[in-house]
Amino acid sequence: MALATRTDRRPSFARTVWDSTVGKKTVMAVSGLIMLLYLVVHMIGNLKIFFGAGDFNHYAHWLRTVGEPFMHYEWTLWLVRVVLVVAVVAHAVSAYQLSRRDIKARPTRYVHRKPRASYATRTMRWGGVILALFIVWHLLDLTTGTVHSGGFQEGRPYQNVVDTFSTWYGNVIYIVAMLAVGLHVRHGFWSAAQTLGAGSRTRDRALKATANVLALLLTAGFLAVPVGVMTGVVS
């Protein structure tokens, strides 16, 4: 009699971690912190627009030459883009799968709801959708120039930014998205800290205060650019 052979294999460690709720939350937390770091750097770079077209355009060119001559022209920039795309996809997929898992675990609605938790969850969900749509629009507007108004000028980001925020819809889209960023960061930073084990009774107040400050600074910093164009400070 021939012996039956087992064809099933034990899942890899990475697969086991990813399939677990804790693993997905960890991926979501780490990818979120990567994007948060990018947002801080991006906001600081955006504020250079207040120093004039020369400085801002020079900064945009510098981003494409970072690491030269070791790194070829735009290689560092593309490396950052790849990391960001991976972080965004990992964040979105883990958030979606956690949401579906939560729905399956609770097939019937609770009789007594928790308004604060429900509000935070809804804010993160619709905020994530708004930001995903904004990223697509933002790239088509100021990177490829596909939906840009006033004639996209390659290599002249200062002029392109002024053109975008010289339209009412450009301002509305950007302002709504940045408000969503603030709310997302406010809840997401504290949630990520809890997931990664940084939270505790003694540190929770400091972590929440940090989340609030980060959200406020990022929102104000990003909104300063369209406000600057609308008020004529940047022209």
Side-chain angles (χ1 to χ4, degrees):
M1 179 181 294
L3 295 176
T5 58
R6 294 186 62 182
T7 57
D8 57 321
R9 295 180 179 179
R10 294 184 60 183
S12 64
F13 175 75
R15 181 70 185 187
T16 301
V17 171
W18 171 250
D19 287 340
S20 68
T21 298
V22 173
K24 291 184 188 298
K25 287 184 177 180
T26 301
V27 170
M28 195 172 175
V30 172
S31 59
L33 291 176
I34 290 173
M35 290 185 288
L36 176 59
L37 176 61
Y38 169 77
L39 285 174
V40 172
V41 174
H42 189 43
M43 180 204 68
I44 294 173
N46 280 2
L47 293 178
K48 292 183 72 67
I49 199 168
F50 290 99
F51 293 94
D55 279 5
F56 191 72
N57 289 342
H58 177 71
Y59 163 70
H61 175 73
W62 172 82
L63 289 176
R64 290 159 173 74
T65 61
V66 173
E68 288 187 342
F70 179 75
M71 299 290 283
H72 196 59
Y73 183 76
E74 285 196 343
W75 278 13
T76 301
L77 185 58
W78 274 107
L79 179 62
V80 172
R81 287 170 175 168
V82 170
V83 171
L84 281 174
V85 168
V86 172
V88 169
V89 172
H91 196 77
V93 171
S94 56
Y96 174 77
Q97 292 185 356
L98 283 169
S99 177
R100 297 302 301 174
R101 183 170 293 184
D102 183 56
I103 293 173
K104 289 181 180 179
R106 298 186 286 108
T108 58
R109 295 184 176 182
Y110 290 127
V111 176
H112 301 289
R113 295 183 179 179
K114 295 180 179 179
R116 293 182 67 182
S118 178
Y119 170 77
T121 300
R122 289 198 302 268
T123 299
M124 293 298 284
R125 286 176 181 171
W126 65 252
V129 172
I130 289 175
L131 293 177
L133 294 174
F134 170 74
I135 289 172
V136 175
W137 178 84
H138 196 52
L139 291 173
L140 293 175
D141 179 33
L142 293 176
T143 300
T144 67
T146 307
V147 298
H148 186 75
S149 61
F152 184 76
Q153 302 180 60
E154 187 70 37
R156 302 186 70 186
Y158 181 94
Q159 287 72 16
N160 294 331
V161 169
V162 171
D163 285 343
T164 290
F165 296 130
S166 294
T167 62
W168 68 266
Y169 59 86
N171 288 312
V172 170
I173 292 173
Y174 195 84
I175 290 172
V176 169
M178 293 308 103
L179 292 175
V181 165
L183 291 173
H184 214 75
V185 169
R186 182 175 180 270
H187 178 70
F189 178 82
W190 182 83
S191 180
Q194 300 301 310
T195 298
L196 298 177
S200 68
R201 289 184 178 180
T202 57
R203 289 194 293 264
D204 274 358
R205 182 175 296 181
L207 287 171
K208 288 181 179 180
T210 302
N212 289 334
V213 171
L214 275 173
L216 180 61
L217 289 178
L218 283 171
T219 304
F222 279 117
L223 291 183
V225 178
V227 171
V229 175
M230 285 188 288
T231 57
V233 175
V234 177
S235 61

